[in-house]
Amino acid sequence: MERLQKVLAHAGVASRRHSEELIKAGKVKVNGKVVTELGVKVDPARDRIEVNGVLVQQEQKRVFLFYKPLRVITSMSDPQGRRVVADYFRSVPERVYPVGRLDYDTEGLLLLTNDGELANRLIHPRYEVDKTYVATVKGRPSPADLEKLRKGVKLEDGWTAPAKVRILSQDDIHTKLQLTIREGRNRQVRRMCEAVGLPITHLIRTKLAFLTLQGLKRGEYRELTRQELERLRRLLT
């Protein structure tokens, strides 16, 4: 069961906020009865939902893997007119939205979907989905620095969970680290590295669970295959 306004939004009728306005205006019927109360829960697979007398058809559930470029906001719109991930999905008829976030100054793998249940599971701490990043940091980390990252570091919002960390390459100025975490705090990888004196100059998410960016260039996306979706859902049960 899902809230009516959420079902309308997922079906592409309108945004969540506009869907609430349609409900309050008495323009939505569920099983032939007008519903004006927000928060009513419905079963989109069983209940007959109409808006202005037109039957609402549920969207096909779709999941896309997107290579988000730098300086693109993980949002559907931006009041300042900056590029957002939605700009890359104008040709997709379904109203897909990002699963979690990638910072404005971070590039890499981002999923977009209209499957609310799948999205909620992917970001829920209970399921501990691996997220792998490659971070280019200033300096050369000591073994003690790496051990701190692996065991967990104290941030302003608490200790981080243990991470997998290894050095990919080094030169006199920078070190390239691969970090795998299971949490999803705001700017977590950047804050972890800064906490041990390793400011990040470039950050890319390269992997989510078993999914990678292979075959994609910046700004490109592809739809997950049926086999990938089945494997992903098995991980989230």
Side-chain angles (χ1 to χ4, degrees):
M1 301 290 282
E2 296 182 273
R3 292 180 183 273
L4 179 56
Q5 57 265 40
K6 183 178 179 181
V7 172
L8 295 178
H10 284 175
V13 172
S15 68
R16 186 84 63 93
R17 184 173 297 177
H18 188 206
S19 295
E20 291 176 350
E21 293 172 357
L22 290 171
I23 294 168
K24 289 188 289 186
K27 296 181 178 181
V28 181
K29 288 184 179 180
V30 177
N31 299 326
K33 295 182 178 180
V34 174
V35 174
T36 57
E37 181 183 348
L38 298 180
V40 169
K41 292 191 175 183
V42 296
D43 183 345
R46 295 173 179 268
D47 292 323
R48 180 182 177 87
I49 303 169
E50 299 170 78
V51 177
N52 289 324
V54 178
L55 182 65
V56 174
Q57 302 290 340
Q58 289 302 305
E59 288 184 325
Q60 175 188 355
K61 295 291 188 282
R62 305 183 72 180
V63 185
F64 296 92
L65 192 158
F66 176 49
Y67 188 158
K68 186 189 93 67
L70 292 170
R71 293 177 289 281
V72 173
I73 296 175
T74 306
S75 177
M76 303 308 291
S77 62
D78 178 59
Q80 299 180 37
R82 294 169 295 182
R83 281 191 303 164
V84 295
V85 295
D87 292 336
Y88 295 83
F89 289 82
R90 301 299 185 197
S91 62
V92 175
E94 291 81 9
R95 187 173 180 272
V96 297
Y97 51 89
V99 180
R101 304 185 63 81
L102 275 185
D103 300 328
Y104 181 72
D105 50 359
T106 300
E107 63 176 317
L109 194 159
L110 181 69
L111 294 184
L112 287 92
T113 186
N114 60 347
D115 187 334
E117 181 179 355
L118 180 66
N120 289 337
R121 286 173 178 258
L122 280 166
I123 62 178
H124 197 288
R126 169 185 172 187
Y127 297 100
E128 297 187 329
V129 177
D130 282 349
K131 293 170 278 288
T132 299
Y133 297 79
V134 173
T136 303
V137 302
K138 291 182 180 179
R140 299 172 69 91
S142 67
D145 295 331
L146 299 179
E147 191 63 18
K148 288 177 183 177
L149 292 172
R150 292 184 181 120
K151 288 185 175 181
V153 296
K154 189 174 184 180
L155 304 178
E156 62 268 23
D157 52 354
W159 287 88
T160 63
K164 297 177 183 177
V165 184
R166 67 185 183 98
I167 294 176
L168 297 179
S169 63
Q170 280 184 317
D171 59 30
D172 292 337
I173 302 174
H174 295 100
T175 300
K176 191 170 286 188
L177 298 175
Q178 183 185 80
L179 301 95
T180 300
I181 63 173
R182 290 186 169 182
E183 298 175 290
R185 304 190 207 181
N186 184 43
R187 300 176 67 84
Q188 181 173 339
V189 173
R190 289 183 184 276
R191 292 191 293 140
M192 287 172 63
C193 289
E194 288 169 1
V196 296
L198 298 169
I200 289 177
T201 60
H202 180 261
L203 184 62
I204 176 172
R205 183 156 72 189
T206 58
K207 193 174 181 182
L208 179 70
F210 58 88
L211 298 168
T212 72
L213 292 169
Q214 184 176 0
L216 293 180
K217 298 177 182 178
R218 292 178 180 89
E220 292 184 341
Y221 64 83
R222 67 172 180 84
E223 192 159 7
L224 265 60
T225 66
R226 184 180 67 182
Q227 291 80 8
E228 287 173 328
L229 281 172
E230 289 174 352
R231 185 177 174 188
L232 195 58
R233 289 194 169 100
R234 284 197 299 270
L235 284 176
L236 301 171
T237 55

